[in-house]
Amino acid sequence: MASITDVARLAGVSTATVSRVVSLAPYAVNPATRERVLEAARTLDYVPNALARGLHKSHVPVVGVIVHDITDPYFAEVVRGVEDAASVGGFLVITCSSDRIAEREHSYVRLLRSMRASTVIFAGSGLTDPALNAELAMHLNAMRAYGAAVVHCSPHALGDAEIGIDNAAAMEGIVVALANLGHRRIAFLAGPASLYVSHERLEGYRRGLAATGIGSDPRLVVSTGFNQESGALGVDALVAAGAPFTAICAANDLLALGAIQRLAELGLDVPRDVSVTGFDDIPTAAMASPSLSTVQLPLKEIGRRAFAFAERVLAGETPKNDVLPTTLVMRGSTGAPPAEAAEAAAIQRVPTAVVA
Amino acid sequence: MASITDVARLAGVSTATVSRVVSLAPYAVNPATRERVLEAARTLDYVPNALARGLHKSHVPVVGVIVHDITDPYFAEVVRGVEDAASVGGFLVITCSSDRIAEREHSYVRLLRSMRASTVIFAGSGLTDPALNAELAMHLNAMRAYGAAVVHCSPHALGDAEIGIDNAAAMEGIVVALANLGHRRIAFLAGPASLYVSHERLEGYRRGLAATGIGSDPRLVVSTGFNQESGALGVDALVAAGAPFTAICAANDLLALGAIQRLAELGLDVPRDVSVTGFDDIPTAAMASPSLSTVQLPLKEIGRRAFAFAERVLAGETPKNDVLPTTLVMRGSTGAPPAEAAEAAAIQRVPTAVVA
DNA sequence: CGTACGATAGTAAACGCTTACTTGCCCCGC
DNA sequence: GCGGGGCAAGTAAGCGTTTACTATCGTACG
């Protein structure tokens, strides 16, 4: 492994000169000398040591992205966006799947700090865990102290996302759309209460109800996980609660997909018997059947912007926070509620199916 | 940012002692002293600088995973497996989406090398690009020279995967299964010819045909991309080729899913008119409709094993290569071929649909 | 003709940590 | 009583870069 010293020796110059040419420093180097250095570097297959460079500069061109689970298409998209933006500047992207476990999130951030990552992006929502958030704050401040940038793509303990979307407004929109279709009994699969984003989306659901004059029924709101299985479980909980409903509004797509699956198992047709909506518009949403009505988030763009934001912070600027637009996309999983009689029939059918 | 010097000063010991306790070195340190050091470290919120440590050790606990696209569930699963295994040892995982572009792959590996990553795992198949492979070989050798481990999860230019599956055998199995269902005209969506894995799967297809005494028809094999859109395009190509078929065997799930979609648009029912099979068993495969018959790969396990393999290499051992088992899972997208008449009808219907 | 300045290149001091070597003690056995 | 051995801790030499200072050489200018 050739080092800068070897290159310097071969080119017959000092290491300072080599450094100046290979690191593209804004320092005048005689073109002839420069060429000689480049030639030597090529001959020796010299690749600068980023660690040594980082040791000196106090941080390395690495951005850590904390996600809940890279296997969740939502996060995969965001990470891809970050990667695309980061790679043009020669930054590497570290993904950290926390599984929403405070301890894992904390230890990942610590690791990122020990690596002197130049930026950490929280792709998912923050956890409502005071102990974690205190620890986190310490690490993040230490990171900022050595010059790192910190970006959130979702609400978190310390406030709003630097790059985000208006969760409440979007959710309100989809509830209103459901109401416009004629639904009055709209259930809500709320996601984990331990996530800030769940609260925002629930708030949007409530606002949607209020905006359309629909009274809220606590039996129609169930707290869940954030994956497909939770969607199925959520439907079971709703059925067990006993309050009739003609639509299910889920806090994310995975939940909605799971709900549709369970509904089918219960013999209920979507959207004939029950309409279902998601949130996020992950790639699968469009290709599921029925295709899912949902709110489309510019996931990749969020990732790209998050990195761009960090880049500006690293450059010493103080960029403004950004709220990206979302768009409602109504597909096959929503329709008018069944006629009064049909509705009653559908509801009655449920208990039977559950027993079966 | 407290450094080891600060801790040493506060604890009233030398930096050597601090290093010995915080780096868990196998060196006797008086328990009382150790406690004093730990206490000082805690007070100062000291986190060791991994760069400095790595500069000395010649590599850092970072593993780079080269994938084709992190957004592809196949790779997301593998990466997650690597991450799970890596995180227990305090390793960080860098994901690099190459999009199967030689230049990107090359530049990612170079970046990983400059960061002195301790291991690089190629999750996807190698590209059949001589220039790239030569460059790659250089970097990989340099990395091995500083102590890094290199692992492949798919066939590549230099040989078999250290951790892999038997692509040909698995593909042969699914073709045989189709033949057992009664299919004799089985088309193949082959994936990109630029990937080694495509060749292996094609080979399996051929073996399956041979094993069941079905003659091969070149019009039934079409080279494609590796994503959903390519699957749709593949169906179009097959239709254009004009040779009748009752089943489509795709080189991966995404392709199969795209094919099913296109088939539906052409008015063909799966599996009544055409059976379709995939390969990989990504999460979506089971929840698509019809659910996809495919070959299940232990994706996460592959990731875990790949890291475990690397870990052993780093420890100086020479682990054996591993071929993981795959399992055929027949679901809703496959069935018996249509009766002779129905088959003829289905084939006849195609051209019309294409025109429409 | 002396000087100051621009253009280049070199010197050497960090950056934070690990570790081979050295030092200082204390205790044991002859 | 003293040499030797073992435990603890310290010293200091790197690891590969960057960069603030210096140094050198012409040359243009007063």
Side-chain angles (χ1 to χ4, degrees):
Chain A
M1 289 290 291
S3 78
I4 201 172
T5 318
D6 304 312
V7 178
R9 185 166 27 232
L10 181 57
V13 300
S14 71
T15 61
T17 301
V18 176
S19 171
R20 297 199 261 251
V21 354
V22 303
S23 68
L24 277 40
Y27 192 97
V29 171
N30 186 297
T33 313
R34 170 185 308 276
E35 198 39 60
R36 209 142 31 87
V37 169
L38 256 15
E39 176 58 28
R42 223 170 293 128
T43 329
L44 296 175
D45 182 30
Y46 169 69
V47 172
N49 185 326
L51 302 180
R53 191 175 276 180
L55 183 56
H56 198 275
K57 303 265 199 180
S58 87
H59 60 251
V60 286
V62 158
V63 10
V65 184
I66 310 283
V67 299
H68 292 169
D69 181 2
I70 188 61
T71 266
D72 178 335
Y74 177 100
F75 292 110
E77 290 283 328
V78 176
V79 167
R80 190 53 149 89
V82 172
E83 221 193 307
D84 288 345
S87 70
V88 339
F91 280 67
L92 249 13
V93 177
I94 288 184
T95 50
C96 309
S97 296
S98 73
D99 279 330
R100 302 188 187 89
I101 295 171
E103 201 210 337
R104 293 193 61 166
E105 180 162 328
H106 169 243
S107 86
Y108 268 129
V109 173
R110 199 188 128 97
L111 237 29
L112 253 15
R113 173 180 168 195
S114 82
M115 279 288 302
R116 300 299 189 264
S118 68
T119 113
V120 28
I121 295 175
F122 289 87
S125 171
L127 300 174
T128 55
D129 176 327
L132 165 70
N133 290 321
E135 288 264 32
L136 229 44
M138 254 191 114
H139 287 307
L140 297 180
N141 283 333
M143 292 184 76
R144 289 200 186 88
Y146 70 60
V150 179
V151 187
H152 301 261
C153 301
S154 262
H156 57 111
L158 276 24
D160 288 339
E162 283 84 10
I163 301 297
I165 57 148
D166 190 336
N167 283 291
M171 188 57 88
E172 177 177 350
I174 208 163
V175 169
V176 168
L178 246 14
N180 287 345
L181 245 22
H183 295 274
R184 308 301 292 172
R185 303 209 50 86
I186 304 173
F188 191 65
L189 263 25
S194 60
L195 256 33
Y196 286 102
V197 71
S198 302
H199 297 306
E200 293 199 348
R201 293 187 184 173
L202 176 57
E203 168 65 18
Y205 163 74
R206 294 220 170 98
R207 277 170 24 191
L209 254 32
T212 50
I214 302 178
S216 71
D217 180 339
R219 291 171 305 170
L220 289 181
V221 175
V222 335
S223 193
T224 64
F226 237 169
N227 56 22
Q228 222 168 318
E229 199 193 338
S230 304
L233 263 27
V235 168
D236 291 344
L238 246 21
V239 166
F245 55 87
T246 62
I248 295 179
C249 194
N252 81 359
D253 285 349
L254 256 17
L255 237 26
L257 259 10
I260 289 178
Q261 214 166 242
R262 190 88 186 96
L263 253 11
E265 288 165 17
L266 295 177
L268 259 19
D269 183 81
V270 174
R272 192 165 41 75
D273 301 321
V274 181
S275 283
V276 175
T277 61
F279 201 105
D280 294 346
D281 196 28
I282 56 176
T284 335
M287 78 188 217
S289 93
S291 56
L292 192 62
S293 293
T294 187
V295 175
Q296 182 176 314
L297 267 45
L299 266 11
K300 259 189 197 159
E301 183 61 17
I302 288 176
R304 275 186 228 113
R305 299 264 191 129
F307 180 76
F309 187 97
E311 222 171 8
R312 299 188 53 186
V313 169
L314 292 177
E317 305 171 39
T318 30
K320 283 240 154 303
N321 286 5
D322 226 339
V323 175
L324 269 37
T326 59
T327 88
L328 186 59
V329 353
M330 296 304 269
R331 290 194 274 238
S333 66
T334 44
E340 212 52 39
E343 178 181 345
I347 299 307
Q348 277 180 5
R349 217 166 40 241
V350 170
T352 326
V354 166
V355 170
Chain B
M1 290 289 294
S3 78
I4 201 172
T5 318
D6 304 312
V7 178
R9 186 167 26 237
L10 180 59
V13 299
S14 71
T15 61
T17 302
V18 176
S19 170
R20 296 199 261 253
V21 354
V22 304
S23 68
L24 277 43
Y27 192 99
V29 171
N30 186 299
T33 313
R34 170 184 307 276
E35 196 41 60
R36 206 141 32 86
V37 169
L38 256 15
E39 177 59 27
R42 221 172 293 129
T43 326
L44 297 175
D45 181 31
Y46 169 69
V47 172
N49 185 326
L51 302 181
R53 192 175 275 181
L55 184 54
H56 201 275
K57 304 265 202 182
S58 87
H59 60 250
V60 286
V62 159
V63 9
V65 184
I66 310 283
V67 299
H68 292 167
D69 181 3
I70 187 61
T71 265
D72 178 335
Y74 177 100
F75 293 111
E77 291 282 328
V78 176
V79 167
R80 189 54 149 91
V82 173
E83 221 194 305
D84 287 346
S87 70
V88 339
F91 280 67
L92 249 14
V93 176
I94 288 184
T95 50
C96 309
S97 297
S98 72
D99 279 329
R100 302 188 187 89
I101 295 171
E103 202 211 336
R104 294 193 60 167
E105 180 162 330
H106 169 243
S107 88
Y108 268 129
V109 172
R110 191 175 187 288
L111 237 29
L112 253 15
R113 174 181 168 193
S114 83
M115 280 288 303
R116 299 300 188 266
S118 67
T119 113
V120 28
I121 295 174
F122 290 87
S125 172
L127 300 174
T128 56
D129 176 327
L132 165 70
N133 289 321
E135 287 266 31
L136 229 44
M138 253 192 116
H139 287 309
L140 297 180
N141 283 332
M143 293 184 74
R144 289 201 186 87
Y146 70 61
V150 179
V151 187
H152 301 261
C153 301
S154 263
H156 57 112
L158 276 24
D160 288 340
E162 283 83 10
I163 301 296
I165 56 148
D166 190 335
N167 284 290
M171 187 57 87
E172 176 177 351
I174 208 163
V175 170
V176 169
L178 246 14
N180 287 345
L181 246 21
H183 296 274
R184 307 300 292 172
R185 303 210 49 87
I186 305 173
F188 191 64
L189 263 27
S194 60
L195 256 34
Y196 286 101
V197 72
S198 302
H199 297 305
E200 294 200 347
R201 294 188 184 171
L202 175 57
E203 169 66 17
Y205 163 74
R206 295 221 169 99
R207 276 169 27 188
L209 253 33
T212 50
I214 302 178
S216 70
D217 181 338
R219 293 171 303 169
L220 290 180
V221 175
V222 334
S223 194
T224 63
F226 238 168
N227 56 21
Q228 223 167 318
E229 200 193 338
S230 304
L233 262 26
V235 168
D236 292 344
L238 246 19
V239 167
F245 55 86
T246 62
I248 295 179
C249 193
N252 81 0
D253 285 349
L254 255 18
L255 236 28
L257 260 11
I260 290 178
Q261 216 167 239
R262 190 87 185 97
L263 252 11
E265 289 166 16
L266 295 178
L268 258 19
D269 183 81
V270 174
R272 192 166 41 75
D273 299 322
V274 180
S275 284
V276 175
T277 62
F279 201 104
D280 294 346
D281 196 28
I282 58 176
T284 335
M287 78 190 218
S289 93
S291 55
L292 191 63
S293 292
T294 187
V295 175
Q296 181 176 315
L297 266 43
L299 265 12
K300 260 188 197 159
E301 183 63 16
I302 288 176
R304 274 186 228 114
R305 298 264 191 128
F307 180 76
F309 187 97
E311 221 171 9
R312 298 188 53 186
V313 170
L314 292 177
E317 306 171 38
T318 31
K320 283 240 155 301
N321 286 6
D322 225 339
V323 175
L324 271 39
T326 59
T327 87
L328 186 60
V329 353
M330 296 304 269
R331 290 193 275 237
S333 65
T334 43
E340 211 53 39
E343 177 181 344
I347 299 307
Q348 277 180 4
R349 217 166 39 241
V350 171
T352 326
V354 166
V355 170

